[in-house]
Amino acid sequence: MRGKTKQQQFSGAIKYTGQKHTPTDVHFIQYSSNTFHEQKTSDIRQIISAMKENTTNWIRVTGMSNQDLIIDIVKDFGLNVLDAKDVLTPEHIVTIEEFDETIFLVLTAIYYSPENVLRTEHISLILGANFVISFQESEAPFFENIYNGIKGKNAKICSKGADFLLGIMLGEIIGEYTETVSQLEDKLEDIEDKLLDFGNNDKSLMVAIQEKRRDVIRLRKILLPLKEQFIKLLHSDKMLIQQSQIPYYRDLNDQILYILQNIESCREIMSSLVDLYLNNNDLKMNVIMKQLTVVATIFIPLTFLAGIWGMNFKNMPETQYEYGYLYAWGLMIVIGISIWIYFKKKDWF
């Protein structure tokens, strides 16, 4: 290790800590209102030399397998090794940092998979004067609509700068939050409908409630820090976000607040569902106890009669009747049916 700087030693220890082993690809996308250029390359120096002041430059990085390349990209654009570590750490909390010439964002996108499992995607963004760098763990199409809009020369996107590109990227991520919370609310409503169906004996409902409770907790852990950090973009003094774009960023902030309100609503629904599930169990237990009580009540007088006629006395009355056995059966059947009819009229079952 002799001869290496402390920063080089530290950068050699930085590793991607996630579970998505997607190969690292770098796409350089350069555009303006009348130009579009795209190339796939890992030569960062070539990308930097190709960047022009009168264009917007998007460096789209997918996959975290090549840690050294990601560290080089982060360092070449004015950030330090610790920021590269944040890019490579999926468990990192949502944060927004301002530097002299850039703004660095660490975010977590979240969505439901086709299997109804809550998934997360670690995304980092770097905003410069005329560029945006996006890092994501996999090739999930979070920004595919933006890419297609740029490639199709969408005037609304291509005529704006890097601050607008960052804004619509954040809009895509926040839109996924909105969709995810909406799906969560629908799932909670389905569970509530099943719980209100008293005849439903689905024992997996409590498991489903616990799973959605964990989903709500994960969403809050992501959204609450984002709410606190997003204010920095609205009050940035680095002039990287133009005043003309501030209303759009305010709208994104309002969406975050709205999503958090819905999450709090989901938390209240979760508490109600747990209470409803426990009350249903109590009601079902009461019904079972009532049914057992009815059965026991019917057999109590029959047991009493059987006990009397089963006593072993030598001179027991009624034991010499020719039809005593049939009489005993008839009497017990009449008593049992009479009690059953009585309870039926009282609507006990």
Side-chain angles (χ1 to χ4, degrees), residues 105-129:
L105 303 90
V106 180
L107 306 166
T108 301
I110 197 161
Y111 61 97
Y112 274 110
S113 69
E115 299 80 23
N116 289 325
V117 178
L118 198 64
R119 303 292 188 191
T120 58
E121 178 89 2
H122 182 62
I123 295 176
S124 302
L125 303 170
I126 301 174
L127 171 67

Side-chain angles (χ1 to χ4, degrees), residues 15-120:
K15 300 294 181 184
Y16 170 59
T17 59
Q19 304 297 322
K20 301 176 181 179
H21 305 293
T22 306
T24 302
D25 286 329
V26 181
H27 285 80
F28 175 52
I29 302 165
Q30 186 178 68
Y31 66 91
S32 65
S33 57
N34 52 13
T35 62
F36 174 81
H37 170 71
E38 177 185 9
Q39 71 178 105
K40 181 178 178 181
T41 178
S42 58
D43 189 343
I44 305 305
R45 298 296 181 182
Q46 181 184 1
I47 292 176
I48 293 175
S49 62
M51 292 171 59
K52 300 175 183 178
E53 290 185 3
N54 60 345
T55 61
T56 301
N57 304 275
W58 177 14
I59 303 170
R60 189 179 185 184
V61 183
T62 57
M64 301 287 182
S65 299
N66 193 340
Q67 290 102 166
D68 293 335
L69 177 58
I70 291 172
I71 293 171
D72 289 340
I73 294 173
V74 171
K75 290 167 62 178
D76 287 343
F77 281 89
L79 280 72
N80 57 51
V81 176
L82 289 175
D83 298 314
K85 184 180 180 182
D86 296 344
V87 173
L88 293 166
T89 306
E91 299 81 13
H92 197 282
I93 192 171
V94 174
T95 185
I96 298 175
E97 298 181 61
E98 292 184 300
F99 297 95
D100 292 338
E101 298 180 354
T102 56
I103 297 177
F104 178 51
L105 303 90
V106 180
L107 306 166
T108 301
I110 197 161
Y111 61 97
Y112 274 110
S113 69
E115 299 80 23
N116 289 325
V117 178
L118 198 64
R119 303 292 188 191
T120 58

Side-chain angles (χ1 to χ4, degrees), residues 181-244:
V181 174
S182 177
Q183 290 183 40
L184 177 60
E185 290 176 325
D186 291 341
K187 295 176 192 301
L188 292 178
E189 288 179 4
D190 290 341
I191 294 173
E192 185 178 29
D193 291 339
K194 291 178 181 178
L195 287 174
L196 290 174
D197 180 9
F198 185 71
N200 190 335
N201 294 318
D202 190 352
K203 296 181 180 179
S204 65
L205 287 177
M206 193 61 193
V207 175
I209 293 172
Q210 290 301 322
E211 288 176 352
K212 299 303 171 251
R213 178 176 172 273
R214 286 192 291 268
D215 291 349
V216 169
I217 292 173
R218 290 179 69 185
L219 283 165
R220 290 187 78 249
K221 284 184 177 180
I222 293 170
L223 268 297
L224 284 175
L226 180 59
K227 171 192 170 186
E228 302 299 327
Q229 294 289 318
F230 201 86
I231 302 298
K232 295 179 181 179
L233 297 178
L234 301 179
H235 302 289
S236 174
D237 57 356
K238 301 301 180 183
M239 300 303 294
L240 293 174
I241 300 177
Q242 302 297 319
Q243 286 299 314
S244 60

